Amino acid sequence: MRIRDPIIVTRLAELDVELQHDAALAKLTSLGIGGTTDLLRIKKHQSLPDLLNLLDVNHVPHKFLGGGSNLLVGDGELPWVVLQLVRPEPDVVLDGNFAHVDAAADLGRMITFCAKNDLGGMEGLIGVPGTVGGALRMNAGAYGMQIGSYVREVKLYRAASRTIEFLRGDQISFEYRHTSFAPDDMMLAVILELPSKPFKEILQGIRICNEKRRSSQPLGQKSAGCIFKNPPGASAGRMIDELGLKGLSVGDAQISNRHANFFVNAGHATAKDMLALVADVRERVQKSFGVSLENEVVVWNA
Ligand code: EPU
């Protein structure tokens, strides 16, 4: 979708929003898949209520993009514009055991920065690509921990009230890869309370998690992490593996040979290829195990 109206273009500049025409979502997502649309880069949180009002009044549909690492975007010209926060400098400020983090901060860099200042707890998430906002929205977790356990306050743009609000951690429910945020809420910043730990000890935990991840996941390939959520008490990866589906492909969309719940873009895969592979696997698992797999990856398909 292209914003052409000069009045909107002028107003965007007044709101300090950078407009990039025809941005390729394939370049903004870890899967390397996705068509083109206008990208609106937001430099100030305060401009969000006016920006969203401007888009609504002019009937411009929009979506919020974080780090693009858990996302499968449709092909071709996309029927909505994409909003993304510009990362401020600094993006993490420490105050005792509290880390004040901007949603646009890189998750891995935030974990390492806190570690260097003797704040731990997040070791399990090292190696998970994406922004802190994205991790927060979906309650990213690994190796027995989840980010939600450390959240003390969230600053967000609430689409329902069209205002910027602050929520305490205990006002938010954090479940397995799910939170009580509304789909159109936009994460802006978070305060995490992290346990004190000596850097050396955190580093050891980080090394162990890195090693586990390297040995079981296709880190060098384009993916969106796990495609399906694990059903209660079972492992989607193990079920797909047991069906002998590793390496199965549709076009360049392929089930990783290393981990069967990672679907990789082995070249020039399209969303159509990837979605066909996802549907095929879901059907086979349903037939063989009687289990309906739910997407873990977020799909933006017009
Ligand atoms: N397994 C297989 N074959 C495979 C993959 C896994 O037999 O191809 C078996 C493993 O041997 C193991 C079991 O399945 O016994 C579970 O595998 P793994 O330890 O890799 O964990 P997972 O349940 O597949 C989950 C998360 C990952 C997270 C890891 C580590 C989900 C959907 N996945 O994977 O998160 O990194 O645990 O904690 O919850 C993600 O969120 O995108 C993601 C990759």
Side-chain angles (χ1 to χ4, degrees):
M1 174 169 225
R2 188 172 240 269
I3 296 178
R4 295 171 193 278
D5 185 339
I7 297 171
I8 305 180
V9 173
T10 306
R11 186 72 188 117
L12 287 174
E14 285 168 6
L15 291 171
D16 217 359
V17 174
E18 180 195 321
L19 171 61
Q20 282 179 22
H21 285 304
D22 304 320
L25 271 285
K27 290 197 180 136
L28 299 173
T29 55
S30 57
L31 255 177
I33 293 177
T36 55
T37 190
D38 281 1
L39 177 68
L40 277 58
R41 309 229 324 133
I42 299 151
K43 294 181 194 153
K44 292 187 209 141
H45 292 171
Q46 312 90 280
S47 63
L48 271 164
D50 286 341
L51 169 63
L52 273 297
N53 194 37
L54 177 73
L55 297 180
D56 277 0
V57 166
N58 289 284
H59 309 288
V60 180
H62 63 270
K63 294 194 182 283
F64 297 122
L65 177 69
S69 59
N70 190 44
L71 192 59
L72 170 53
V73 183
D75 304 310
E77 165 101 32
L78 302 164
W80 20 260
V81 300
V82 167
L83 314 188
Q84 192 178 40
L85 296 175
V86 171
R87 192 175 65 81
E89 200 61 67
D91 54 3
V92 185
V93 175
L94 300 180
D95 172 16
N97 285 72
F98 296 99
H100 297 245
V101 191
D102 192 89
D106 177 81
L107 180 64
R109 288 170 66 109
M110 183 275 284
I111 295 170
T112 333
F113 178 79
C114 292
K116 283 181 185 158
N117 287 279
D118 300 319
L119 292 176
M122 308 275 289
E123 295 85 328
L125 286 176
I126 203 74
V128 173
T131 59
V132 170
L136 185 63
R137 149 157 291 293
M138 62 154 327
N139 190 22
Y143 305 115
M145 60 76 58
Q146 52 179 26
I147 191 169
S149 318
Y150 299 99
V151 172
R152 292 299 162 259
E153 186 183 272
V154 173
K155 178 186 180 190
L156 73 168
Y157 171 78
R158 288 228 117 158
S161 60
R162 296 175 174 236
T163 53
I164 290 174
E165 290 184 18
F166 293 85
L167 294 180
R168 286 191 320 271
D170 62 10
Q171 293 175 297
I172 307 159
S173 103
F174 290 100
E175 293 151 45
Y176 167 63
R177 302 295 196 273
H178 180 78
T179 57
S180 50
F181 298 118
D184 48 4
D185 285 343
M186 186 175 194
M187 306 296 107
L188 300 179
V190 62
I191 302 177
L192 301 168
E193 186 177 1
L194 301 171
S196 300
K197 254 195 210 179
F199 176 50
K200 269 192 173 166
E201 218 176 284
I202 304 173
L203 201 60
Q204 218 172 351
I206 284 180
R207 286 204 179 114
I208 293 169
C209 292
N210 264 335
E211 194 39 52
K212 279 194 201 165
R213 210 178 279 285
R214 252 198 303 271
S215 65
S216 63
Q217 301 181 358
L219 300 187
Q221 284 183 286
K222 290 181 185 170
S223 84
C226 285
I227 282 280
F228 299 111
K229 289 185 186 177
N230 283 338
S235 158
R238 184 184 290 149
M239 289 193 280
I240 301 167
D241 195 0
E242 279 176 13
L243 292 177
L245 301 181
K246 277 183 171 166
L248 182 74
S249 60
V250 175
D252 277 341
Q254 189 176 47
I255 301 181
S256 157
N257 283 306
R258 187 165 277 238
H259 194 301
N261 199 12
F262 277 68
F263 290 18
V264 301
N265 174 3
H268 302 282
T270 61
K272 198 167 166 245
D273 295 335
M274 195 53 84
L275 287 167
L277 187 61
V278 170
D280 183 15
V281 171
R282 183 180 283 116
E283 207 178 302
R284 291 181 196 231
V285 169
Q286 173 75 53
K287 245 190 208 157
S288 304
F289 295 95
V291 171
S292 174
L293 290 179
E294 204 183 309
N295 283 353
E296 203 269 346
V297 67
V298 176
V299 179
W300 287 357
N301 195 28

